[in-house]
Amino acid sequence: LLGELVADRLRLPLVAEHDGQVVGFLMAWRVADQLHVLNIAAAGRCRRQGVGSALLREAARRGLAEGLCEATLEVRRGNAA
């Protein structure tokens, strides 16, 4: 993940904070006219409180502003949450 944080125009790293603490993150790539969400996570104590949804909304907003027309997110079958 650390390697993905290198800034370039293809990567979209987002961090969610609350009271100065990191409570979630999202990493995506811009590929052609698509946004591919690679990783998204929320701190255990912050799950089910809208952190992930807020990160996805912000990624989508930025993608649309850049002219991207599709977003993808693959989820493991065992990820019931």
Side-chain angles (χ1 to χ4, degrees), residues 1-13 27-30:
L1 183 60
L2 185 58
E4 291 297 330
L5 293 174
V6 175
D8 69 29
R9 60 177 230 75
L10 298 179
R11 291 176 173 87
L12 175 61
M27 176 59 69
W29 284 350
R30 297 167 182 96

Side-chain angles (χ1 to χ4, degrees), residues 20-76:
Q21 299 286 319
V22 173
V23 295
F25 72 90
L26 177 145
M27 176 59 69
W29 284 350
R30 297 167 182 96
V31 180
D33 62 350
Q34 301 175 345
L35 184 71
H36 293 274
V37 178
L38 304 171
N39 292 291
I40 184 168
R45 68 187 187 285
C46 298
R47 291 191 179 142
R48 301 284 190 203
Q49 295 182 23
V51 172
S53 294
L55 287 164
L56 285 171
R57 276 192 306 275
E58 179 61 15
R61 185 193 68 75
R62 291 185 187 199
L64 286 170
E66 295 174 15
L68 305 181
C69 63
E70 185 176 357
T72 62
L73 168 65
E74 292 183 26
V75 179
R76 283 191 312 263

